[in-house]
Every structure is written in C-alpha cells, then in structure tokens.
Amino acid sequence: MEMPVEIGGHAPAFVMVAETAADVAAREALLDRAMGPKRRKKSSEKLRRGRRPSEGLAFVARDGSGGVAGTVRLWDVRLGEGGAAALLLGPLAVDPSLKNAGIGSALMRHAIAEAARLGHAAILLVGDAPYYARFGFSAEKTGSLAMPGPYERHRLLALELVEGALDGVHGTLRAAGRKLKAQELISAA
C-alpha cells in the first residue's frame, strides 16, 4: 500500500511503499551513509541477523525519481524465554541530505499504523526517548526487559498497540520470526 507524504504544503514529494528485493542495495547504502560502519555491531543487530523482517513490515520512502530516501523495518521478537511476541523496530534511517524533511516521522507513523493493522501488540526499539516520545514510545514498561549484548538501558523504549500487552513482561529479547534462506544470507553479508 502506497502512502504519499506531503511535505511543506506541496504535492507529495515522497511515497511510503513496501520494500522490495530491488531495494536491498540502495537500503544498505543508505544505512551505511546514515549510521556508519559500526551499525552492524549494535545489540539490535544480533536480533535481526539471519532473519527476515516481520511479514508486511519493511518499508522504504521513495523520492520523486523512485530512489530510496528512507527505510524502516520491524522484526519479530519474543520478550524473554517463551515470552510474549512483540516487534523490534529498526533501523529507521533517512538519507542524511534529506534530514528534517519529515521522512523519518512519516515512516514511523506508517510502520506503527501497519503493525497495529496487522494485529501486533507491542513495538520495542533502542533509541532517543525525546525523538520517539512523539510517537508514544517510553521506557515506562521496559524496566524488566533487556537486550542481548551492550546497550543503554534508558534507550530501550516501547509502545503498546494493545493496552496491557507489556504488563508483567521480563527477560532478554530473543529473535523470532522467519529465517533468511541460504542465498539471502550470502547476499546480506
């Protein structure tokens, strides 16, 4: 489903669409530009490695020429050993030359709306609370949860899509969902 985004009162400059296999190289180049080479060492990456994004929850923002201007993906996780299902959002990135154009916010709103539409109960992420608070994320219900590997506890944020979905959850987040096929693993390396 395409979602045109109007920026600055003009005709839609960007369109939110489902990511396709043809977007992989452009997405990876964008992530390298926006986040640098250390992005693959983050604890969130441990939960994504060898997995596919959650079904129907990988999006790109295309500019007027069809190029990838932004990206966001959500991943299936479990909250602790045998715990409840949730989503892990990330990475969210926008081409550095297009920062502050509203693309990141539009991608976030689109991803949250689609996750809710698909019946998911909660989304977690590791990020800056002042930025993500505007979308309803907080550390209020993440105190008993942990990420695998190093991370800053105050940056583990959550948004309940279903009220009470995070009540009583505890433990370390674990990867869940669809694994990549052998040929996808080779091209992802």
Side-chain angles (χ1 to χ4, degrees), residues 93-114:
V94 174
D95 188 297
S97 69
L98 299 168
K99 286 278 190 208
N100 302 317
I103 299 167
S105 294
L107 278 165
M108 281 296 295
R109 286 199 237 356
H110 186 66
I112 292 166
E114 283 299 294

Side-chain angles (χ1 to χ4, degrees), residues 9-179:
H10 299 93
F14 300 92
V15 180
M16 306 299 132
V17 295
E19 177 186 294
T20 68
D23 295 322
V24 171
R27 182 197 70 236
E28 289 301 310
L30 169 70
L31 290 171
D32 286 341
R33 285 192 311 277
M35 302 181 144
K38 292 185 179 171
R39 72 181 177 91
R40 288 187 169 86
K41 298 196 183 324
K42 295 183 176 190
S43 59
S44 298
E45 192 61 32
K46 289 181 171 84
L47 295 167
R48 298 189 284 257
R49 194 169 294 124
R51 303 278 175 172
R52 292 174 176 220
S54 188
E55 186 71 40
L57 292 173
F59 307 103
V60 294
R62 291 197 197 288
D63 61 21
S65 66
V68 175
T71 177
V72 67
R73 298 167 120 201
L74 293 106
W75 307 81
D76 296 303
V77 294
R78 290 265 169 217
L79 305 178
E81 186 68 41
L87 295 170
L88 179 68
L89 186 142
L92 168 68
V94 174
D95 188 297
S97 69
L98 299 168
K99 286 278 190 208
N100 302 317
I103 299 167
S105 294
L107 278 165
M108 281 296 295
R109 286 199 237 356
H110 186 66
I112 292 166
E114 283 299 294
R117 186 184 70 76
L118 292 171
H120 292 280
I123 303 172
L124 288 91
L125 59 81
V126 177
D128 295 324
Y131 179 83
Y132 291 104
R134 72 179 100 170
F135 307 107
F137 286 85
S138 78
E140 181 184 326
K141 294 195 174 184
T142 61
S144 296
L145 294 170
M147 292 290 293
Y151 72 102
E152 297 172 79
R153 177 165 286 292
H154 69 279
R155 292 172 49 88
L156 181 57
L157 310 174
L159 169 67
E160 287 182 327
L161 300 174
V162 174
E163 190 173 338
L166 297 173
D167 291 350
V169 298
H170 64 280
T172 301
L173 273 63
R174 300 187 180 287
R178 306 170 302 152
K179 291 187 176 179

